[in-house]
Amino acid sequence: SSGINAEYGENTAVVEKYKKEFCQEVEAILSDVFPKKIIELDKLYKSDQLKLSRAGEVKEAAKASLKDVVAQKEAVSSPPPAKRKRNESSSFENGDEKMRFSTKVHCNPIVSELIGTLKPEIRELIEYCNKIKMWIQLLIPKIEDGNNFGVSIQEETISEVSTFCEFAKGSFDDMSRYFVTRGKVSSKIVKYPHLEDYVKYLTELDEKQFLHIRVFTNELKMIYCCMFDIINKNLEKIKQPRSQMSSNLY
């Protein structure tokens, strides 16, 4: 029994040491990293990379990504399939199929570069959110009757941080959907290069994604600002939800 108690005591000491070091790490993130991230994201939002006038460049880059389709369209000049003889239909279809597989539609380099810049920022934010939630969870005292106002502040803060975290996770899905949608439109352009509506849709899609990235960059900055503000204003209650005087009364 004494051996078990000794082992339990040692394990408890290890956990307590981890909790102390982890709490110090999160407090350092809040005091040092968050202000820096706010400044960095504000600079990115106001940089030439995300200036509104660059939307025109994005549309031109979208058109340039279709250069192989345009070249293939100009190279192949043939009458409509309906006018061909039946015995030529199979050879036409085979040639058309080869043209589709040999035609390459490039990604929009501007949009792809910006997505590559933002993804690490989103991953980092999600990691910080999870650490903050765990930090507050470790600070929640044991369950007691009464004097739970500070605990309710802790729980509300965890809820707010969770909302920010889910919003950041959803942005990954948005980026994936952009590539899927663009791929579907590109396949239509390769199949029907004579329909200008699909080309127009592709350029509009790239412009929309660029504007979405611009807005989302500002929203990332606002998330850091809001989390920093909420936690800073309620830091006393988060770290010590029950005052020493109140706990002595129970």
Side-chain angles (χ1 to χ4, degrees):
S1 178
S2 59
I4 294 173
N5 290 335
E7 186 179 350
Y8 178 78
E10 289 175 7
N11 291 337
T12 303
V14 170
V15 172
E16 289 300 321
K17 182 184 177 185
Y18 168 76
K19 284 170 61 177
K20 184 180 178 181
E21 291 174 352
F22 178 78
C23 289
Q24 289 173 346
E25 179 192 348
V26 175
E27 287 175 27
I29 289 170
L30 290 167
S31 61
D32 301 332
V33 177
F34 271 34
K36 290 177 183 176
K37 297 303 295 184
I38 293 167
I39 294 169
E40 287 173 10
L41 289 167
D42 187 58
K43 284 182 179 178
L44 177 61
Y45 177 70
K46 294 176 180 177
S47 69
D48 290 343
Q49 277 185 290
L50 288 171
K51 60 184 179 182
L52 273 175
S53 58
R54 207 180 182 199
E57 292 179 42
V58 173
K59 294 179 86 169
E60 288 302 316
K63 292 175 184 176
S65 71
L66 300 171
K67 59 184 179 182
D68 288 357
V69 179
V70 174
Q72 199 69 267
K73 178 184 174 184
E74 292 173 352
V76 179
S77 178
S78 57
K83 294 183 180 181
R84 288 178 172 267
K85 296 178 182 179
R86 287 186 179 180
N87 60 356
E88 293 178 351
S89 62
S90 60
S91 62
F92 173 79
E93 288 172 4
N94 291 335
D96 188 47
E97 199 69 25
K98 287 178 182 177
M99 185 187 76
R100 285 186 217 167
F101 286 117
S102 62
T103 304
K104 184 174 182 180
V105 178
H106 302 268
C107 291
N108 190 309
I110 296 174
V111 176
S112 295
E113 181 188 354
L114 289 172
I115 288 175
T117 301
L118 271 189
K119 271 190 172 182
E121 295 289 347
I122 298 167
R123 283 195 295 266
E124 204 170 26
L125 175 61
I126 292 170
E127 186 177 340
Y128 289 149
C129 286
N130 288 331
K131 285 185 176 182
I132 289 169
K133 286 190 290 182
M134 183 176 173
W135 170 63
I136 299 173
Q137 195 69 45
L138 292 173
L139 293 172
I140 294 177
K142 65 179 182 179
I143 299 171
E144 291 180 359
D145 292 331
N147 193 27
N148 286 318
F149 177 68
V151 177
S152 67
I153 291 176
Q154 289 176 319
E155 291 172 345
E156 183 63 30
T157 306
I158 290 174
S159 177
E160 289 290 331
V161 174
S162 296
T163 301
F164 294 139
C165 189
E166 290 304 312
F167 176 77
K169 288 178 182 176
S171 65
F172 279 123
D173 293 331
D174 292 339
M175 290 176 184
S176 299
R177 275 195 294 270
Y178 158 73
F179 286 116
V180 170
T181 304
R182 196 179 195 277
K184 288 179 179 178
V185 177
S186 298
S187 67
K188 292 290 186 181
I189 293 172
V190 172
K191 190 174 182 181
Y192 307 108
H194 54 285
L195 295 179
E196 293 184 359
D197 286 331
Y198 284 126
V199 176
K200 181 69 174 175
Y201 183 80
L202 188 76
T203 58
E204 294 292 328
L205 179 68
D206 284 359
E207 182 187 27
K208 177 186 173 184
Q209 185 65 18
F210 169 75
L211 295 174
H212 174 76
I213 289 170
R214 188 176 187 274
V215 171
F216 183 72
T217 302
N218 194 46
E219 287 175 339
L220 277 180
K221 179 191 70 177
M222 290 168 61
I223 287 173
Y224 276 110
C225 283
C226 289
M227 280 201 294
F228 181 81
D229 187 60
I230 291 168
I231 293 169
N232 197 44
K233 284 177 178 176
N234 299 286
L235 188 60
E236 187 179 344
K237 282 292 183 183
I238 289 172
K239 293 182 74 172
Q240 194 173 352
R242 293 195 180 111
S243 63
Q244 192 65 36
M245 185 179 295
S246 298
S247 62
N248 288 337
L249 296 174
Y250 288 90

